[in-house]
Amino acid sequence: FFQAEDGIRDYKVTGVQTCALPIWAYVKRKSGGSRRGVTVPGVVDRVVQRALLGVIQTRDARLRTHLGALVEVLDCPTSFAGNVGRGVPEAIAVVGQTLRSTGRLAATSDVKDFFPHIPREAVGEFLRREVADARLVDLLCQGLETELANPADVQPWLELFPLGHAGVAQGSLLSVLAGNIALREFDRRLNAGGLVTVRYLDDFVILGPTAPHVERGRSEEHTSELQSPCNLVCRLLLEK
């Protein structure tokens, strides 16, 4: 099952067996004036992370039996970021189709400060529980950690980077996988009771047949204090 080694064989020969090398960082100013910490993985990191994703996203039925409940995360029909064959065009198409059929009303929102609060340790626990290959999981968990190669350059804004036990760096190829794992219960709960919630990582659209349905999806019970199995509290911006 550990065919990811095929993708990093050349690097293992030189002694590189991790995808958690120090990464370069910079600070980006967002349109509203606030700042966002962004990382730029090196070539080795990107090759290793892409090889790992190639294994995780396999369509081989035999290999998928070793992924446990992770398959449900990867195959979630209303999640469109980081899933093979499903992107922005497909997400928009599902929103349009739902509006033309059962979902007459919609509300857009996002998960506030998502990347810095992804519960990395709990994501790792989920992977260790579900994926039947300890070496693969070890590499995935290493890839979710963040060590900056140039901390002095971003010294005034170090709090924007996930250097502690929580959070995943924006720029990591594995960040979307971690986010989808963290929001798996979110997907389940907001696609029940007449609701359809189309999510592209931390942005989503709640669709329902009536205003009460959509308001229920936006209510405190279903959104603002929604706890996933990873104990992530989704604080939502209800008007974008």
Side-chain angles (χ1 to χ4, degrees), residues 46-236:
R46 295 183 72 85
V47 169
V48 174
Q49 291 175 11
R50 180 54 62 189
L52 292 172
L53 288 175
V55 174
I56 290 296
Q57 296 171 340
T58 180
R59 304 309 299 177
D60 185 299
R62 181 180 60 85
L63 293 180
R64 283 166 66 89
T65 62
H66 298 280
L67 297 178
L70 181 57
V71 171
E72 299 174 12
V73 175
L74 298 171
D75 290 350
C76 178
T78 55
S79 173
F80 291 88
N83 291 325
V84 177
R86 298 203 300 276
V88 173
E90 289 78 15
I92 294 174
V94 170
V95 170
Q97 180 181 3
T98 305
L99 285 173
R100 289 190 296 271
S101 55
T102 59
R104 302 296 182 181
L105 298 173
T108 63
S109 190
D110 66 5
V111 182
K112 183 176 175 62
D113 298 327
F114 181 57
F115 287 99
H117 294 101
I118 291 176
R120 194 170 63 246
E121 291 185 348
V123 169
E125 291 174 2
F126 171 82
L127 289 169
R128 289 190 173 89
R129 183 172 66 250
E130 301 297 335
V131 178
D133 192 303
R135 291 181 296 168
L136 179 66
V137 173
D138 285 344
L139 276 178
L140 285 168
C141 291
Q142 290 171 20
L144 295 176
E145 298 175 359
T146 302
E147 180 183 355
L148 301 184
N150 60 327
D153 295 340
V154 293
Q155 182 64 41
W157 305 284
L158 282 177
E159 74 278 0
L160 298 178
F161 298 92
L163 304 178
H165 295 294
V168 177
Q170 288 189 258
S172 167
L173 298 182
L174 301 178
S175 62
V176 175
L177 173 66
N180 285 338
I181 291 172
L183 290 177
R184 65 192 186 278
E185 179 66 10
F186 177 95
D187 291 329
R188 185 187 69 81
R189 289 184 58 176
L190 268 78
N191 284 281
L195 291 176
V196 174
T197 299
V198 177
R199 182 175 63 80
Y200 192 90
L201 196 53
D202 56 339
D203 292 296
F204 56 92
V205 181
I206 302 174
L207 303 110
T210 66
H213 279 85
V214 175
E215 287 301 321
R216 178 171 59 82
R218 292 175 51 171
S219 70
E220 172 121 354
E221 177 184 359
H222 286 268
T223 55
S224 61
E225 292 298 328
L226 177 61
Q227 295 270 356
S228 77
C230 293
N231 297 318
L232 175 67
V233 178
C234 299
R235 302 178 181 87
L236 307 184

